[in-house]
Amino acid sequence: EDQVTQSPEALRLQEGESSSLNCSYTVSGLRGLFWYRQDPGKGPEFLFTLYSAGEEKEKERLKATLTKKESFLHITAPKPEDSATYLCAVQAGEDSNYQLIWGAGTKLIIKP
Amino acid sequence: GAVVSQHPSRVICKSGTSVKIECRSLDFQATTMFWYRQFPKKSLMLMATSNEGSKATYEQGVEKDKFLINHASLTLSTLTVTSAHPEDSSFYICSAPTSGSDEQYFGPGTRLTVT
């Protein structure tokens, strides 16, 4: 069964304290892995798409990496405004209907 | 990135009434849109896939007669919650992929409260 697991469930960091969020997946034929950010009461905001192992993408303080089993979202010197829930999702198989399999998310809290 | 809007952002209705939520792709055409439901502190639960010009595809356990989906144009999909009950209270979010891209862009969500 296709599955996406994110860890930790919640992460509290001091401002400037770098860390990583994990997304491990078990799917039959990865088409793409997606990272989103969601603020309370809002829809998810697209961050990155990764397609193949070894691929990396960066945006400001965030860098996403991908292996054959997992993806990491590295956050460098975070600021309080980076506080949010970070969601990981994968698109799997030959099906081209764009359906995503979602992880439960990691709630990131950055304390000033 | 592409922009998806939802209307209304918040709605309160009485038990037994119906509520319509609109999802629009503002700067692109979307042959497919997705409707999700999100419970507090939980991840997104896919309810149905909305296809322009054809019937929606519902996920297992989602009542198609209760959650009516209409995708009448390439920029608009609607979700109607019929005969709403308090247990239908939730955060409903739509999304759409842009043509030729795998990324999905999400609307801001609609908070439904049934009293």
Side-chain angles (χ1 to χ4, degrees), chain A residues 20-83:
Chain A
S20 297
L21 313 182
N22 178 264
C23 171
S24 63
Y25 61 91
T26 307
V27 296
S28 51
L30 178 72
R31 286 173 54 89
L33 185 143
F34 305 84
W35 282 99
Y36 287 84
R37 168 191 170 129
Q38 186 176 25
D39 292 300
K42 297 187 178 181
E45 174 191 343
F46 171 75
L47 293 174
F48 303 109
T49 309
L50 301 167
Y51 290 104
S52 56
E55 189 175 359
E56 297 184 356
K57 289 195 177 173
E58 284 188 72
K59 179 181 179 181
E60 295 180 354
R61 294 177 292 282
L62 299 175
K63 183 169 79 172
T65 61
L66 181 66
T67 73
K68 290 185 178 180
K69 295 182 179 180
E70 59 192 349
S71 175
F72 290 95
L73 184 65
H74 306 278
I75 183 161
T76 303
K79 298 181 178 181
E81 54 262 41
D82 294 321
S83 297

Side-chain angles (χ1 to χ4, degrees), chain B residues 10-114:
Chain B
R10 289 178 177 271
V11 58
I12 300 172
C13 71
K14 292 186 176 181
S15 186
T17 62
S18 296
V19 174
K20 180 185 285 188
I21 302 170
E22 294 185 347
C23 176
R24 292 182 185 272
S25 55
L26 298 185
D27 52 359
F28 66 101
Q29 294 183 330
T31 56
T32 301
M33 289 183 174
F34 298 94
W35 286 97
Y36 292 88
R37 183 171 179 178
Q38 188 173 33
F39 295 98
K41 299 183 180 180
K42 298 291 184 183
S43 191
L44 301 167
M45 183 188 81
L46 179 65
M47 298 176 65
T49 302
S50 171
N51 302 296
E52 188 269 335
S54 64
K55 291 183 178 180
T57 304
Y58 291 82
E59 295 301 301
Q60 191 172 11
V62 178
E63 298 176 61
K64 62 180 181 180
D65 294 330
K66 181 169 186 62
F67 298 99
L68 300 179
I69 291 173
N70 186 345
H71 195 151
S73 79
L74 288 172
T75 59
L76 173 65
S77 175
T78 59
L79 169 67
T80 301
V81 183
T82 62
S83 186
H85 290 283
E87 56 264 32
D88 299 324
S89 298
S90 192
F91 192 54
Y92 292 88
I93 315 174
C94 70
S95 74
T98 56
S99 177
S101 168
D102 291 324
E103 290 97 26
Q104 289 189 29
Y105 292 88
F106 285 81
T110 297
R111 172 72 60 192
L112 170 64
T113 303
V114 185

